[in-house]
Amino acid sequence: MMTRKEPQKIVEGIFAIHKPPTLTSADVLRNLQTHFNPSVIFSPWLRSERARLKGASASRHKINQLQVKLGHGGTLDPLATGVLIVGVGRGTKCLKRFLECTKTYECVVLFGAATDTCDAVGKVVSRAEYAHITRGKVEEALEKFRGKIMQKPPVFSALRVGGKRSYELARAGVKMPEIKAREVEVKELEMVDWMEGGCHGFQWPKEEVGCVEEVGEENDVGIRDVKDGNTKGGKGVKRRREGMDECVSETASELKRPKMEPEPVMSGALPLEEALIKSNALQEDPINPRTTQAEKSLPIKGNVPASSDSHLLQSQAKPPAACLRMTVTSGFYVRSLCHDLGLAVDSLGLMSSLIRYRQGDYELGRNVLEYEDLEKGENVWGPKVKGALEDFMTSEGWEAENASAEDEELELEGRGQARVKNWNKNRRRDNEHCERKHDRKGDKAAEI
């Protein structure tokens, strides 16, 4: 059995974890750190890094606050699930390659409505007829989105425009300069399931844009100017095929210390707090659980602004949905695919769910750590993470370094200094408290 005095192998590299819904990618990294910092597996890495920092004359605070160095290779929306690439130690320098590799996604597009973010957590900006949409019509439209296409990122994305994030400008109501289209490649795109209206649980958001922002929002998401008038079947609608969606940031994110601010996401979905609030809009009608408030307010025909009086008219059928599976290159936007597919079938569409099944060589159900394993203890997740990191190190030709006994002594010395510092701090605080208490008694005696 290995003792703490014997040299221990330092493991670092790349592994993948199955991100659950509602958590941001940064949340996942912070939760991983809470499990990795006190673990046996990463104790050698921490000891070696503390010794290195001490040798470099780093501050005591930096040494004592050191955590396992983690980063991720592409952000997923809070409400999305699937493969999240995680880099550990030296592995964080290899994350960029996972931004440039192909990814496989599975999404659900819900027809008949469009939102400002092109997904189910945004605000409804317009509705359109969907009774004419069939599986065959959607299959035919998908052909236009295969191969190399020019695309324009959506307004709600993490791309920088004039030095600021696009989604920040969009929320502030700032007039957005036009984002240039760029080429991406759709290697595979197929429909894996067709769901007729009333045969699924996907729903439109209930929250709608206000009358003042309506026109601008419709123009931003590429529907049309409401002043052009409504036309049956979406005719007269200006198509903007240029936007696709990937839900992946263009730069690798590296987490060196916990961050308290909301995490920007490239997909344009809102940060967790706002997204969860907006997701409440997907709740069913308490009177009729099979009918949502949004579905009650469908227009009879044409593209109708969300706040128009026409939305009070009911449609007899519920909107259909399609499950799509695709393999795409970097920079692809799934949300915009759903939006543009709705336009391609003379209606509207939004993304209701998203799963990243594969990124590079990591695939769900094959070599991806399940998030639930973290709560089962290091004896469960430890061998899986260690094995994945060792496999990556072997593939990269890295030789595992040793954390020596000297590193442990330096670590223990640093911990001892930290304990002494805390003890002195607490003693000074107690002395100050006693002095203040004594002063108050003296003031009362003087008053008497």
Side-chain angles (χ1 to χ4, degrees):
M1 182 176 177
M2 186 182 299
T3 67
R4 294 186 62 85
K5 294 299 181 181
E6 297 174 347
Q8 298 181 32
K9 298 292 184 180
I10 298 173
V11 291
E12 51 192 347
I14 298 289
F15 74 98
I17 189 169
H18 188 173
K19 190 192 89 67
T22 73
L23 292 181
T24 68
S25 299
D27 287 336
V28 174
L29 296 190
R30 282 189 282 268
N31 290 343
L32 285 172
Q33 282 184 327
T34 61
H35 291 84
F36 287 1
N37 290 336
S39 69
V40 174
I41 292 176
F42 294 104
S43 176
W45 187 93
L46 287 169
R47 293 206 308 273
S48 177
E49 188 66 12
R50 286 194 179 100
R52 185 188 67 81
L53 291 174
K54 188 175 182 63
S57 301
S59 66
R60 289 183 179 179
H61 176 77
K62 185 174 183 179
I63 295 174
N64 295 332
Q65 296 299 318
L66 180 67
Q67 301 189 69
V68 177
K69 185 179 181 181
L70 299 179
H72 64 70
T75 303
L76 274 176
D77 284 348
L79 299 183
T81 66
V83 178
L84 182 68
I85 302 295
V86 179
V88 182
R90 280 189 293 170
T92 56
K93 298 180 180 180
C94 303
L95 290 172
K96 186 177 181 181
R97 73 180 68 168
F98 292 96
L99 297 175
E100 301 168 351
C101 66
T102 59
K103 297 98 176 172
T104 298
Y105 293 97
E106 189 169 292
C107 74
V108 171
V109 53
L110 181 63
F111 295 100
T115 64
D116 53 357
T117 59
C118 300
D119 58 24
V121 298
K123 298 178 182 179
V124 176
V125 298
S126 188
R127 298 185 179 87
E129 280 190 338
Y130 49 77
H132 64 284
I133 302 177
T134 63
R135 178 169 189 155
K137 191 175 182 68
V138 174
E139 292 274 17
E140 182 181 356
L142 288 177
E143 184 60 34
K144 304 174 184 178
F145 299 95
R146 295 187 177 103
K148 293 183 178 180
I149 59 175
M150 295 301 294
Q151 58 177 336
K152 189 178 297 182
V155 174
F156 280 81
S157 70
L159 294 180
R160 291 193 177 276
V161 179
K164 293 188 177 181
R165 298 288 186 183
S166 177
Y167 70 87
E168 294 175 346
L169 298 176
R171 288 180 190 151
V174 177
K175 180 64 178 178
M176 294 284 296
E178 187 172 358
I179 302 176
K180 294 182 179 180
R182 53 188 182 177
E183 185 180 81
V184 295
E185 184 176 2
V186 183
K187 294 183 175 294
E188 296 178 7
L189 176 60
E190 63 176 341
M191 183 190 303
V192 296
D193 193 16
W194 173 255
M195 295 166 277
E196 296 288 352
C199 297
H200 59 81
F202 299 103
Q203 306 164 3
W204 297 341
K206 290 194 294 184
E207 189 171 1
E208 303 173 350
V209 296
C211 296
V212 176
E213 58 185 329
E214 220 164 56
V215 175
E217 294 288 357
E218 287 198 329
N219 289 337
D220 285 341
V221 297
I223 301 174
R224 60 173 177 78
D225 190 330
V226 293
K227 294 181 180 180
D228 292 343
N230 299 328
T231 54
K232 185 175 180 178
K235 293 181 180 180
V237 176
K238 181 180 179 182
R239 283 194 59 197
R240 288 175 59 183
R241 282 193 56 209
E242 297 88 349
M244 300 286 169
D245 182 50
E246 179 195 356
C247 296
V248 177
S249 64
E250 289 297 326
T251 56
S253 172
E254 187 176 295
L255 186 67
K256 294 183 179 180
R257 61 182 61 87
K259 298 189 296 183
M260 302 305 294
E261 67 274 8
E263 179 194 18
V265 288
M266 172 140 185
S267 66
L270 300 177
L272 180 60
E273 293 78 7
E274 294 183 59
L276 291 179
I277 293 174
K278 291 181 179 294
S279 66
N280 292 334
L282 305 181
Q283 296 177 352
E284 296 177 334
D285 188 330
I287 299 178
N288 183 4
R290 297 290 297 175
T291 305
T292 65
Q293 294 295 331
E295 290 170 338
K296 285 184 175 183
S297 58
L298 299 177
I300 290 296
K301 63 179 181 178
N303 292 344
V304 181
S307 61
S308 169
D309 291 339
S310 300
H311 86 287
L312 297 176
L313 302 176
Q314 288 189 7
S315 174
Q316 297 300 314
K318 294 181 180 180
C323 181
L324 308 177
R325 192 178 183 93
M326 66 207 75
T327 298
V328 299
T329 58
S330 178
F332 185 84
Y333 285 83
V334 180
R335 285 179 299 113
S336 295
L337 170 65
C338 297
H339 170 77
D340 294 336
L341 182 60
L343 296 178
V345 295
D346 298 324
S347 182
L348 297 173
L350 58 88
M351 187 184 76
S352 287
S353 72
L354 179 66
I355 303 173
R356 183 194 283 161
Y357 271 98
R358 183 189 62 81
Q359 184 172 1
D361 295 328
Y362 296 91
E363 185 176 359
L364 291 182
R366 188 170 65 88
N367 55 357
V368 177
L369 177 71
E370 291 299 327
Y371 190 82
E372 293 78 10
D373 288 345
L374 294 176
E375 299 303 325
K376 297 178 182 178
E378 187 177 356
N379 60 325
V380 175
W381 63 259
K384 298 178 181 179
V385 173
K386 184 178 181 180
L389 294 177
E390 289 177 339
D391 289 344
F392 183 83
M393 294 176 69
T394 300
S395 66
E396 294 293 307
W398 295 355
E399 291 186 6
E401 299 177 357
N402 292 327
S404 63
E406 289 77 12
D407 294 338
E408 181 180 10
E409 291 175 0
L410 289 173
E411 180 192 16
L412 295 175
E413 179 184 347
R415 290 182 179 178
Q417 292 173 349
R419 284 194 293 269
V420 171
K421 183 178 179 180
N422 290 333
W423 183 83
N424 290 333
K425 181 179 179 180
N426 293 334
R427 184 176 181 181
R428 286 195 301 270
R429 182 186 60 192
D430 293 340
N431 290 337
E432 291 173 357
H433 176 73
C434 293
E435 290 176 0
R436 287 195 299 269
K437 187 175 181 180
H438 178 74
D439 292 341
R440 286 195 296 270
K441 288 182 177 179
D443 293 339
K444 290 182 179 179
E447 292 176 359
I448 296 174

